[in-house]
Amino acid sequence: MPAKILIVTGDAAESLEVLYPYQRLREEGYDVDIAAPTRKTLRFVVHDFEPGYDTYTEKPGYTWPADLSFAEVDPGQYAALVVPGGRAPEYLRNDAELRKITKAFFDADKPVAQICHGPLLTAAVDSLRGRRVTAYPALELDMQSAGAHFEDSEAVVDGTLVSARAWPDHPAWMREFLTVLRAKAPAT
């Protein structure tokens, strides 16, 4: 039976940051579940970088069904966790059930991949203290406040935690995450 990976997300997650790891991990032979606050069709967004803007722009993205709600998740059934970015982590970090799930992965030293604004969730469970991480560059102060050492790099590996800045870093992020994942939890 293939190892299972959990992606935690919600509305306004960055489309590419959910669907790229979802498809890449399935291609690698893992079972992948997407969990959200409730079982529903999620509405993702597209963040893009356009000339003349001081920050990214946001447009409607894909819709995708959540496989299960956070209340239905048993972290013990999963080999690893993926935390996409977008605006979703800003409100998801307030969900007590999701904080318990996230903390369980760190307590068990299971692989965790986070990207963009995803580290807002892992910071909320005090799992970044003393670690090297990257995130969307505007979060550098947030990462430092969480006790992390911020590195502006495509992908940063600290033990079983793999982080990236944003969707342009997908190749480096997934390459590093799969290296950690294959060592800790092979697909079969």
Side-chain angles (χ1 to χ4, degrees):
M1 177 177 253
K4 293 174 68 174
I5 310 295
L6 181 66
I7 297 176
V8 292
T9 195
D11 288 328
E14 162 54 54
S15 292
L16 287 173
E17 294 173 2
V18 177
L19 296 176
Y20 180 80
Y22 176 81
Q23 292 171 333
R24 182 65 190 92
L25 292 165
R26 291 186 67 213
E27 176 185 48
E28 194 70 21
Y30 291 93
D31 281 342
V32 183
D33 285 337
I34 295 177
T38 61
R39 277 187 194 230
K40 70 172 202 163
T41 299
L42 298 167
R43 284 163 270 162
F44 300 145
V45 297
V46 173
H47 288 146
D48 206 356
F49 305 96
E50 298 182 30
Y53 278 79
D54 292 331
T55 188
Y56 54 84
T57 61
E58 183 173 282
K59 301 167 185 72
Y62 294 105
T63 59
W64 199 265
D67 297 305
L68 63 167
S69 70
F70 297 148
E72 296 172 289
V73 171
D74 173 3
Q77 299 294 310
Y78 295 92
L81 176 68
V82 176
V83 185
R87 283 186 297 114
E90 294 173 11
Y91 69 90
L92 292 176
R93 64 185 166 173
N94 295 310
D95 187 298
E97 195 65 40
L98 180 55
R99 287 194 311 269
K100 283 190 257 179
I101 292 165
T102 305
K103 187 165 177 0
F105 281 89
F106 281 96
D107 288 349
D109 197 33
K110 292 181 179 181
V112 175
Q114 60 183 10
I115 190 167
C116 195
H117 285 71
L120 292 173
L121 173 59
T122 56
V125 298
D126 197 29
S127 293
L128 300 183
R129 190 166 310 284
R131 290 184 176 263
R132 295 173 27 259
V133 300
T134 195
Y136 188 70
L139 297 185
E140 180 175 358
L141 294 176
D142 298 276
M143 297 300 94
Q144 292 170 349
S145 293
H149 173 71
F150 180 84
E151 297 179 16
D152 188 7
S153 181
E154 280 185 320
V156 173
V157 180
D158 187 308
T160 56
L161 176 63
V162 181
S163 53
R165 295 173 299 195
W167 59 261
D169 297 336
H170 277 161
W173 180 51
M174 277 293 108
R175 185 173 43 253
E176 295 296 342
F177 184 58
L178 283 166
T179 297
V180 170
L181 198 51
R182 288 176 188 131
K184 288 282 276 185
T188 54

